[in-house]
Amino acid sequence: QVQLVESGGGLVQAGGSLRLSCAASGRTYSSFTVAWFRQAPGAEREFVAAINWSGVNTNYADSMKGRFTISRDNTKNTVYLQIHSLKPEDTAVYYCAASFNPWVSRTKPVEYVYWGQGTQVTVSS
């Protein structure tokens, strides 16, 4: 089992930045592909970015490229999502998820086994 806990969300003004963290415990976290998803009210869960076990390979949803950066520190069992130039449409619950699959091209929620509880990001205009 892997337990994931997100943190770092909050209320920010448009144009601001946030760094979300996903801390893991349990099985060897460093062997997992980890992704961030987000879900706005009334919307489906949306892929944001993924990173492989070493941090060398990353994948971003096209709409997220440029403002979002995913990274990981396996010594701290933590994956990060840095978000710059926040927009009101970034308002959502952000979830991290882990998969045994080594491919960062996996972008569907069903392809990830372990999930955190989510952290709320609210961007005011």
Side-chain angles (χ1 to χ4, degrees), residues 38 46-50 58-70 81-85 87 90 107:
R38 70 183 186 183
E46 176 184 31
F47 173 77
V48 176
T58 59
N59 181 34
Y60 295 88
D62 288 342
S63 60
M64 313 295 175
K65 291 179 181 178
R67 296 192 299 118
F68 293 75
T69 303
I70 190 170
L81 183 69
Q82 181 76 49
I83 314 172
H84 295 290
S85 302
K87 304 176 181 180
D90 293 321
T107 62

Side-chain angles (χ1 to χ4, degrees), residues 4-9 18-24 29 34-36 69-73 76-83 94-97 116-121:
L4 304 175
V5 178
E6 301 95 334
S7 62
L18 277 178
R19 188 177 78 160
L20 308 182
S21 299
C22 173
Y29 186 57
V34 177
W36 285 94
T69 303
I70 190 170
S71 62
R72 70 190 297 164
D73 184 344
K76 298 180 179 180
N77 282 345
T78 302
V79 172
Y80 304 98
L81 183 69
Q82 181 76 49
I83 314 172
Y94 284 71
Y95 298 91
C96 66
Q117 83 291 347
T119 185
Q120 176 70 48
V121 172

